[in-house]
Amino acid sequence: MSQHARRRSRHGLTSRAHNTSEAGRAGPVGGPAAGRAAARAGAMAKLLSCVLGPRLYKIYRERDSERAPASVPETPTAVTAPHSSSWDTYYQPRALEKHADSILALASVFWSISYYSSPFAFFYLYRKGYLSLSKVVPFSHYAGTLLLLLAGVACLRGIGRWTNPQYRQFITILEATHRNQSSENKRQLANYNFDFRSWPVDFHWEEPSSRKESRGGPSRRGVALLRPEPLHRGTADTLLNRVKKLPCQITSYLVAHTLGRRMLYPGSVYLLQKALMPVLLQGQARLVEECNGRRAKLLACDGNEIDTMFVDRRGTAEPQGQKLVICCEGNAGFYEVGCVSTPLEGRTLAFGADTLLTLPFLLQGVPFPQNEANAMDVVVQFAIRRLGFQPQDIIIYAWSIGGFTATWAAMSYPDVSAMILDASFDDLVPLALKVMPDSWRGLVTRTVRQHLNLNNAEQLCRYQGPVLLIRRTKDEIITTTVPEDIMSNRGNDLLLKLLQHRYPRVMAEEGLRVVRQWLEASSQLEEASIYSRWEVEEDWCLSVLRSYQAEHGPDFPWSVGEDMSADGRRQLALFLARKHLHNFEATHCTPLPAQNFQMPWHL
């Protein structure tokens, strides 16, 4: 569902240009002088818009079937779209805008580096005695001068944009869309790729049509999450105990909001977004121009802005087009180049979004599990209320850390059709302990549980529908030892916890032991050998499961296997494990081939 973590811009684009009818009415009163004054005011307003306007990256090629007639009048609700082939390319800024933009981009990078290194810089300056008033005052003068110079560079960039007809055309369409989000204005705006902060909001979490029929919807504090149990159960929560815990809680908060968040969600770091920008622009152009994707901005209940891309195939002859796949990206994944390519190549409808922070989605804000869940909620609501899909027609597909938002959505929207988790894990604590010193074990555990609690297995067990887990046999990220040790892959624990919840009698001692043996297999030949050693009869397993479902209903957990022999439980356990988990011989970041993207098994 990136980046990735940029706060929503609060300034709007202002346009004070008068239309021709207003100038005509002023003509008899003020004559030509009034008309010239109105023209000058309009030109100054346009110049101000160019100074404050967003950066323009690309002008997409339009398909002939989508182009508007050339005679569309330029009004506040409709602006003539560019038709010339010379516009079908990356936006080419004039020299003044190009050089000014480079200076401002360099200043932005330096500011980002200064921000991340500020704790060390303050410590160094304090040790050297540079934080005294006599040293700070001259430094503030230098900083003020630098800010004035950067403001002047921004004005020069605005002048360069003002002299460029392509940018003036774009800013006119953007202002018209902000005033009136008609379908024609939004269609024309979709031909441009620009700074997402200035994109108009397409769907609001509080939109009446999205919440009037739902009970227990999110508040401004966020959607509901499963909270961890207290570390010390039974301890009286007295004032003295709270005071004793306060230093640890403060330390955990500081670690989570500084180092922890950036380690967990590296896609939210501005420098990484900046480095990947050319690749992301190419990926977005492919989705828009080749796949006819539609971009939209969703506003979550916490104020974060979610960047989504929707590829609609319901109007085609493809039967898969009636299903919607919501893609949840990993912590350094972006929908432009992420897992969305797998269902697209598999000729399936895809709806891609970046937590993200990447995260699962591209979040315009600070990523934490609560923000991720809020983002996922507004994405599902957008799919149901605005795009017109029923929950039964939605498939959730997640890669890596995107499993958190996927399992949250499956838990909160239990009617979704199916869920596919690729290279995901059961819990974040073991993986966090793997990369931190042993002496930090208590601090790491407390910090994760209180602020970064990705409890995928706990949420997955609340879902009743079909599930498919894909395990990477050479995964180097979600293993707790080395990639060659396949039993340290946390995907194994995710499978075991799911099966133990759904089939507790089958996954008793004998069943659990034989599934662990099957999980130890590092090749398809070893898997088949274990499967055949226990002479698993698939027809018998299916008949037992179907008979139980017909008698007791589909809701988990099942008590099937309660009066069964140990050999029968072993067969059922192996059968169920093979149906719920598929192996893929690859590392963590290898794209999943389309042929491995399969619907989960169900009775």
Side-chain angles (χ1 to χ4, degrees), residues 514-580:
V514 74
V515 171
R516 287 188 180 278
Q517 293 177 4
W518 180 76
L519 289 172
E520 287 179 0
S522 57
S523 66
Q524 293 183 354
L525 184 61
E526 291 183 25
E527 286 182 38
S529 175
I530 296 173
Y531 204 74
S532 60
R533 183 195 310 168
W534 295 103
E535 298 177 349
V536 179
E537 299 180 15
E538 295 196 352
D539 292 338
W540 175 80
C541 294
L542 281 173
S543 64
V544 170
L545 295 173
R546 285 170 178 164
S547 298
Y548 181 91
Q549 185 185 49
E551 184 177 352
H552 298 90
D555 293 339
F556 297 108
W558 287 7
S559 60
V560 62
E562 191 171 18
D563 301 323
M564 193 176 292
S565 65
D567 184 64
R569 286 196 293 269
R570 291 190 191 97
Q571 289 194 49
L572 267 180
L574 279 176
F575 174 79
L576 291 169
R578 196 176 189 184
K579 292 298 185 182
H580 285 83

Side-chain angles (χ1 to χ4, degrees), residues 221-346:
R221 299 178 61 182
V223 298
L225 294 180
L226 297 179
R227 299 300 177 184
E229 295 183 357
L231 295 179
H232 305 287
R233 303 180 65 180
T235 304
D237 191 18
T238 63
L239 179 61
L240 181 60
N241 285 331
R242 292 183 180 182
V243 173
K244 289 180 179 179
K245 294 177 183 177
L246 188 59
C248 296
Q249 292 175 347
I250 294 175
T251 304
S252 296
Y253 179 87
L254 293 176
V255 171
H257 286 74
T258 54
L259 179 65
R261 176 176 68 83
R262 290 169 177 82
M263 289 184 63
L264 185 60
Y265 301 116
S268 64
V269 177
Y270 171 77
L271 293 178
L272 179 61
Q273 301 172 25
K274 193 72 176 177
L276 294 177
M277 183 60 70
V279 178
L280 300 182
L281 292 177
Q282 292 178 6
Q284 194 169 100
R286 182 183 69 87
L287 289 173
V288 172
E289 296 178 343
E290 299 179 13
C291 304
N292 200 23
R294 301 206 307 265
R295 194 181 189 187
K297 177 191 280 190
L298 317 181
L299 184 64
C301 59
D302 52 16
N304 281 344
E305 296 171 342
I306 319 303
D307 187 2
T308 65
M309 183 68 70
F310 175 55
V311 180
D312 196 349
R313 288 181 175 158
R314 285 172 291 184
T316 66
E318 301 176 20
Q320 300 96 329
Q322 306 309 312
K323 292 288 184 179
L324 177 70
V325 179
I326 297 182
C327 300
C328 304
E329 293 291 346
N331 61 358
F334 301 78
Y335 73 71
E336 294 90 342
V337 292
C339 66
V340 68
S341 60
T342 297
L344 276 178
E345 293 174 2

Side-chain angles (χ1 to χ4, degrees), residues 202-218 294 298-299 310 314 324 326 351 376-394 412-413 415:
D202 296 284
F203 184 82
H204 195 283
W205 72 279
E206 221 172 12
E207 200 165 295
S209 61
S210 67
R211 292 299 176 188
K212 64 182 180 181
E213 298 176 2
S214 65
R215 293 178 296 178
R294 301 206 307 265
L298 317 181
L299 184 64
F310 175 55
R314 285 172 291 184
L324 177 70
I326 297 182
F351 181 82
M376 188 66 182
D377 179 69
V378 75
V379 167
V380 176
Q381 285 294 322
F382 177 70
I384 296 173
R385 305 297 178 179
R386 181 64 61 84
L387 302 180
F389 287 92
Q390 296 299 316
Q392 298 83 354
D393 297 326
I394 295 177
S412 304
Y413 296 88
D415 293 332

Side-chain angles (χ1 to χ4, degrees), residues 108-168:
S108 179
V109 171
F110 279 133
W111 169 256
S112 182
I113 295 174
S114 302
Y115 174 79
Y116 292 123
S117 61
S118 58
F120 306 100
F122 275 111
F123 180 75
Y124 175 80
L125 293 174
Y126 175 77
R127 292 292 301 271
K128 293 295 184 178
Y130 292 146
L131 293 182
S132 61
L133 186 61
S134 60
K135 301 290 181 64
V136 171
V137 172
F139 176 77
S140 63
H141 293 165
Y142 298 144
T145 303
L146 180 60
L147 290 176
L148 288 176
L149 290 175
L150 290 177
V153 172
C155 292
L156 291 176
R157 182 182 64 176
I159 295 174
R161 291 172 172 177
W162 187 59
T163 61
N164 192 325
Q166 290 182 334
Y167 194 90
R168 289 204 311 272

Side-chain angles (χ1 to χ4, degrees), residues 387-420:
L387 302 180
F389 287 92
Q390 296 299 316
Q392 298 83 354
D393 297 326
I394 295 177
I395 302 167
I396 301 177
Y397 169 47
W399 171 67
S400 188
I401 204 174
F404 172 75
T405 45
T407 54
W408 180 89
M411 173 185 70
S412 304
Y413 296 88
D415 293 332
V416 296
S417 175
M419 182 164 54
I420 304 170

